[in-house]
Amino acid sequence: MKDLKGIEIKGIHKLNSGKVREIFEVDDERLLIVTTDRISAFDVILPDAIPDKGRVLNEISGFWFKKTASIIPNHVISTRIEDYPEPLCHDERLRGRSMLVTKASPLPIECIVRGYISGSGWKEYNEKGSICGIRLKEGLEQSQRLPEPIFTPSTKAELGEHDESIDHDTAAGLIGKNLFDQVKKTSLEIYRMAAEYALGRGIIIADTKFEFGIRDGKLIIIDEMLTPDSSRFWPEAVYKPGGAQPSFDKQFVRDYLLGLDWDKSAPGPKLPEDIIAQTRMKYIEAFKKITGKDLE
């Protein structure tokens, strides 16, 4: 799935082509989400794909959707193409990198949980002493573990734009107080469970982003879940607060790009073969550690 312009499926209407995913409308009740090997950085889709990245993201999401089903229902119907309707069940391009899901109405906020202070959270803390209006103690170091995970919502930006952090009152104003309390509680519960599980397998989940939707009047979790694209995965064995951390996610690519003379606008620069190969191995290693399986 290296086609950076996206795939087409005969007889199936494409609803959206995002940074990584292609979304198709199967019928009035179902969608097909296909995860490509595209990679983006600084909200720009790069011209080179990372082989097997889409399969890693899709299968890690499938793993977590199953593992968290007792906490909250999700949108997954099946990840097996044999279960898909005609003609999708015969399309081998979809094997391992797609999900048949139920439709839902997405909430207009990104639900971010931070267990460690890094990235945009670290920047905001240095500027304001707080993140999303949550006051933090003075003297925290970059990448330091927080006393308790915090819920730091953001706006949901269009392709090419940037999400913006918002405080809890603003988020509650967008979706309603009761629904806000529910997504906050659920996000923190999922993060705590997943972070403990991953730590036992040598991965620190520093932060992660969830997306929720409403289906038949009930809250469900949608999109992707606890992947190296929606989370910061750090190797626990070499973790040392006080600076940036090595990672299993696309931060490796971001760090390479930061060393270039690039203004972070499209088109993005091409990636060297060694950066592509190393990034691929980081994604596959994360998959193995989380799921305990080899990528078939």
Side-chain angles (χ1 to χ4, degrees), residues 7 93 111 129 199 204 207 253 275:
I7 68 166
R93 296 176 301 171
C111 297
L199 192 61
I204 291 171
D207 53 48
V253 173
I275 296 295

Side-chain angles (χ1 to χ4, degrees), residues 41-95:
F42 308 108
D43 296 308
V44 174
I45 299 172
L46 301 180
D48 297 288
I50 306 298
D52 295 315
K53 174 176 177 283
R55 295 170 59 213
V56 166
L57 297 182
N58 188 72
E59 298 212 8
I60 286 181
S61 282
F63 172 85
W64 288 116
F65 279 129
K66 289 179 181 177
K67 196 166 185 64
T68 58
S70 62
I71 297 175
I72 183 173
N74 58 67
H75 67 163
V76 179
I77 297 171
S78 180
T79 59
R80 300 176 66 253
I81 67 169
E82 291 80 7
D83 298 332
Y84 297 177
E86 296 280 352
L88 304 177
C89 58
H90 305 297
D91 194 336
E92 286 295 327
R93 296 176 301 171
L94 305 178
R95 189 177 296 278

Side-chain angles (χ1 to χ4, degrees), residues 169-195:
D169 288 343
T170 301
L174 290 172
I175 64 174
K177 179 66 164 59
N178 288 342
L179 192 54
F180 172 81
D181 289 343
Q182 192 177 354
V183 298
K184 175 185 174 182
K185 178 179 181 294
T186 304
S187 296
L188 289 167
E189 184 177 355
I190 293 173
Y191 174 80
R192 289 188 178 100
M193 181 278 291

Side-chain angles (χ1 to χ4, degrees), residues 23 29 48 81 100 120 143 161 250 269 276:
I23 302 177
E29 298 293 326
D48 297 288
I81 67 169
L100 186 67
S120 62
S143 304
E161 299 179 359
K250 65 180 179 180
I276 292 173

Side-chain angles (χ1 to χ4, degrees), residues 209-267:
K209 175 183 70 176
F210 301 118
E211 291 208 36
F212 294 89
I214 302 296
R215 170 72 177 177
D216 296 331
K218 296 182 179 180
L219 187 70
I220 65 172
I221 194 161
I222 62 173
D223 195 56
E224 64 180 314
M225 192 175 191
L226 292 158
T227 73
D229 269 19
S230 65
S231 318
R232 241 178 273 270
F233 284 3
W234 296 339
E236 189 271 338
V238 295
Y239 167 68
K240 185 178 181 181
Q245 306 295 309
S247 68
F248 290 111
D249 52 55
K250 65 180 179 180
Q251 187 62 42
F252 178 73
V253 173
R254 291 193 196 101
D255 291 343
Y256 165 77
L257 295 171
L258 286 170
L260 303 180
D261 184 18
W262 175 47
D263 64 0
K264 300 184 181 63
S265 61

